[in-house]
Amino acid sequence: IPDGSFIQQLRKRCDETGTLLVFDEIQTGFGRTGQLFAFEHFNVIPDILVLGKSMGGGLPIGAFITDKNTMEVFANHPLGHLTTFGGNAVCVAAALANLRVILDNQLMNNAIQIEKTLQEKLQHASIQSVRVKGAMGAIELKNHQQVVRVIEKCLTKGLIVDWFLFAPHCIRIAPPLIIDSAELHQGIQILLDSLSNE
């Protein structure tokens, strides 16, 4: 999780050098971190925001957001701005409905509660650290081999977890924003039991 002062200094440096600050919120967007978009935690605004995945509520759609001046640069380039997921009416309607559900049900607040529960309950001697922002987190273990063993045990008990390609010694935690308290506690207990039986 980046330090807020680092992100603010990054914004300042980009302004000083005329560099575009691009935030990829394909995984962190749409309430996942406790704000609608993760950049809102840092009191900065990126020049370009890239969105996808949860944007469509399960359907394929992505977005590239920037100001008019920057977009005109892309529009006048021979290749323009390309996308592998050119939108269609069904996906756009799904994305709008998904956004309404997130906002109307204040699912960002669920993410904040998930974060509090994970920080409070994920206590175990095998855990090196727990890094969590909203409903997105990493549980750092000793090494990748231990992570694989714990994941396999979780799977046999009905809990799906995974590791990060860039941090194979960490278990990835990303429960749905609509998870209820009982389900969350059950998942945490399965994880802790799997660590204890390691």
Side-chain angles (χ1 to χ4, degrees), residues 49-71:
L49 185 63
V50 182
L51 303 172
K53 295 201 184 208
S54 61
M55 179 180 179
L59 290 178
I61 190 169
F64 174 97
I65 301 170
T66 189
D67 65 28
K68 186 178 181 200
N69 291 336
T70 305
M71 192 60 83

Side-chain angles (χ1 to χ4, degrees), residues 29-92:
F30 294 92
R32 171 64 52 189
T33 66
Q35 294 283 352
L36 190 57
F37 301 108
F39 76 81
E40 296 177 273
H41 291 287
F42 305 108
N43 199 29
V44 299
I45 297 176
D47 297 302
I48 295 173
L49 185 63
V50 182
L51 303 172
K53 295 201 184 208
S54 61
M55 179 180 179
L59 290 178
I61 190 169
F64 174 97
I65 301 170
T66 189
D67 65 28
K68 186 178 181 200
N69 291 336
T70 305
M71 192 60 83
E72 284 178 353
V73 172
F74 284 97
N76 293 323
H77 189 277
L79 291 177
H81 168 61
L82 302 177
T83 175
T84 54
F85 277 139
N88 65 61
V90 173
C91 292
V92 171

Side-chain angles (χ1 to χ4, degrees), residues 1-184:
I1 301 169
D3 183 82
S5 63
F6 168 76
I7 297 294
Q8 290 168 6
Q9 287 298 312
L10 184 61
R11 170 75 275 173
K12 183 180 176 200
R13 185 67 178 148
C14 287
D15 291 341
E16 291 168 354
T17 61
T19 305
L20 294 175
L21 180 59
V22 180
F23 282 4
D24 174 350
E25 294 226 31
I26 289 172
Q27 292 194 37
T28 59
F30 294 92
R32 171 64 52 189
T33 66
Q35 294 283 352
L36 190 57
F37 301 108
F39 76 81
E40 296 177 273
H41 291 287
F42 305 108
N43 199 29
V44 299
I45 297 176
D47 297 302
I48 295 173
L49 185 63
V50 182
L51 303 172
K53 295 201 184 208
S54 61
M55 179 180 179
L59 290 178
I61 190 169
F64 174 97
I65 301 170
T66 189
D67 65 28
K68 186 178 181 200
N69 291 336
T70 305
M71 192 60 83
E72 284 178 353
V73 172
F74 284 97
N76 293 323
H77 189 277
L79 291 177
H81 168 61
L82 302 177
T83 175
T84 54
F85 277 139
N88 65 61
V90 173
C91 292
V92 171
L96 181 57
N98 182 57
L99 180 59
R100 285 184 177 139
V101 167
I102 291 168
L103 295 175
D104 290 349
N105 294 285
Q106 290 295 298
L107 294 183
M108 294 82 69
N109 293 337
N110 288 10
I112 293 168
Q113 188 56 51
I114 290 167
E115 176 183 342
K116 289 177 184 173
T117 302
L118 290 172
Q119 288 177 333
E120 178 186 322
K121 299 292 183 184
L122 284 174
Q123 306 287 330
H124 193 279
S126 295
I127 295 176
Q128 307 291 309
S129 71
V130 175
R131 298 185 298 277
V132 61
K133 193 71 173 169
M136 185 174 206
I139 302 169
E140 183 180 0
L141 300 183
K142 185 173 45 180
N143 55 46
H144 178 63
Q145 292 75 23
Q146 184 182 25
V147 166
V148 170
R149 289 192 302 268
V150 171
I151 287 173
E152 287 172 352
K153 288 177 183 164
C154 287
L155 287 172
T156 65
K157 297 173 183 176
L159 178 65
I160 300 171
V161 290
D162 206 349
W163 66 79
F164 297 92
L165 293 176
F166 63 89
H169 62 294
C170 295
I171 294 175
R172 182 177 188 269
I173 302 295
L177 297 182
I178 58 170
I179 194 169
D180 66 35
S181 180
E183 292 169 326
L184 181 59

